[in-house]
Amino acid sequence: MPQQILPMPEHIAIIMDGNGRWAKKRGLPRTMGHKKGAQVFGDITRYCQKIGVPYLTVYAFSTENWKRPQEEVDAIMDLMREYLKDARRYEQENVRTFFIGDKSPLADDIKDMIQRVEEGSSQNTGLTVNVALNYGGRNEIMTAVQRIAKEVEDNKIKANQVNEQLFETYLYTSGQPDPDLIIRPSGEHRISNFLLWQCAYSEFVYMDVLWPDFTPKHLDEAILAYRNRDRRFGGI
Ligand code: FPP
């Protein structure tokens, strides 16, 4: 048992899983699960802000999720549009919003709204929310490698200057602390290509609740589980 309880996590990351199963259980289309999931995301954002969590990252759409039926992809993108339209509210509440992932294949209107929301909230000092959209950990690492290789080729940096500190500045989460706590609801025990570099020393909490049923109480439970862990970062 750890001697002392850990401080509150500085960065919480969540894999919002179980929307489809939640809908199926109720005889509803999967898209209804995503709709409820998006509402829960709003509630959890507000709760994080209330309890003073500085960074929250959520996995909304992975580089692999394009394989889903077109109708489901379209529904998730429409939820994203609604969220982006609503983002002014968060902006006024001092939330800083980033979208992490490869934005290039997104629809133009979504790209424009993302740019507006990121710029509009750039001076905010409260909760930072990263929405992972068309995000893949391997893709993020590969993009960083390609950019660094290009800079070496162009003689802007030397190969022997490439180290962990420099590498991190090429990631989407540049300048942010690594997640202390990664929560995956829905009973699955996988990382699914999420924050592969950043999760090196994260604590994982898996929960049986489906994301649309996730409440601030579940977040409290996960935080408490985290605070009772013994983090050694490779030491003893
Ligand atoms: C995983 O559950 C969930 C997703 C792939 C989509 C998550 C999207 C949202 C919560 C809505 C949009 C988000 C924002 C930020 C507005 P699943 O569909 O894999 O569930 P299953 O494993 O039960 O099938």
Side-chain angles (χ1 to χ4, degrees):
M1 280 296 283
Q3 302 275 302
Q4 260 186 329
I5 192 158
L6 292 171
M8 283 290 283
E10 203 182 345
H11 185 168
I12 298 177
I14 307 179
I15 301 176
M16 304 188 289
D17 196 14
N19 296 346
R21 277 163 284 167
W22 181 90
K24 193 171 174 208
K25 261 177 46 183
R26 286 163 179 74
L28 297 169
R30 292 176 56 83
T31 50
M32 291 307 285
H34 297 313
K35 188 169 182 206
K36 180 71 175 28
Q39 284 165 12
V40 169
F41 163 60
D43 297 343
I44 294 301
T45 301
R46 291 228 157 66
Y47 188 64
C48 283
Q49 212 181 348
K50 183 173 148 199
I51 63 175
V53 173
Y55 294 88
L56 172 69
T57 300
V58 292
Y59 208 177
F61 194 86
S62 77
T63 45
E64 288 72 38
N65 285 151
W66 300 103
K67 290 185 248 170
R68 295 190 175 209
Q70 192 59 43
E71 187 197 337
E72 183 170 342
V73 171
D74 290 347
I76 295 175
M77 292 302 159
D78 280 344
L79 287 167
M80 207 50 69
R81 287 186 174 89
E82 271 178 44
Y83 170 71
L84 282 158
K85 275 185 204 143
D86 222 33
R88 266 210 91 68
R89 280 220 324 258
Y90 294 104
E91 213 175 292
Q92 281 155 4
E93 290 169 19
N94 203 20
V95 173
R96 181 162 195 196
T97 307
F98 287 107
F99 282 78
I100 62 170
D102 175 11
K103 296 176 188 111
S104 58
L106 300 175
D108 286 342
D109 66 318
I110 294 189
K111 280 195 265 200
D112 289 348
M113 282 195 275
I114 287 178
Q115 197 186 344
R116 256 180 281 144
V117 169
E118 286 187 336
E119 281 174 12
S121 70
S122 64
Q123 301 305 314
N124 285 354
T125 54
L127 171 69
T128 294
V129 176
N130 298 311
V131 179
L133 182 57
N134 192 30
Y135 175 87
R138 287 186 175 180
N139 172 275
E140 177 180 37
I141 292 169
M142 208 35 69
T143 305
V145 169
Q146 283 171 352
R147 285 174 54 209
I148 292 170
K150 179 84 175 67
E151 307 233 321
V152 172
E153 198 176 75
D154 294 347
N155 287 318
K156 292 195 178 131
I157 47 175
K158 292 195 167 32
N160 66 7
Q161 288 176 312
V162 181
N163 57 24
E164 289 186 17
Q165 284 69 35
L166 179 101
F167 187 78
E168 276 167 1
T169 65
Y170 287 79
L171 298 176
Y172 296 123
T173 50
S174 172
Q176 300 188 14
D178 287 340
D180 302 293
L181 165 61
I182 299 185
I183 304 169
R184 181 163 196 159
S186 95
E188 307 288 351
H189 296 196
R190 287 190 290 278
I191 189 70
S192 298
N193 205 11
F194 190 41
L195 303 176
L196 294 184
W197 173 278
Q198 297 89 336
C199 76
Y201 287 102
S202 303
E203 295 292 331
F204 288 81
V205 172
Y206 297 105
M207 305 177 89
D208 278 330
V209 59
L210 301 173
W211 176 250
D213 288 327
F214 197 94
T215 63
K217 208 170 132 270
H218 294 106
L219 190 70
D220 284 341
E221 247 177 67
I223 292 174
L224 189 63
Y226 162 83
R227 296 186 72 187
N228 281 293
R229 298 271 175 94
D230 184 12
R231 296 185 91 186
R232 292 192 292 274
F233 298 96
I236 53 169

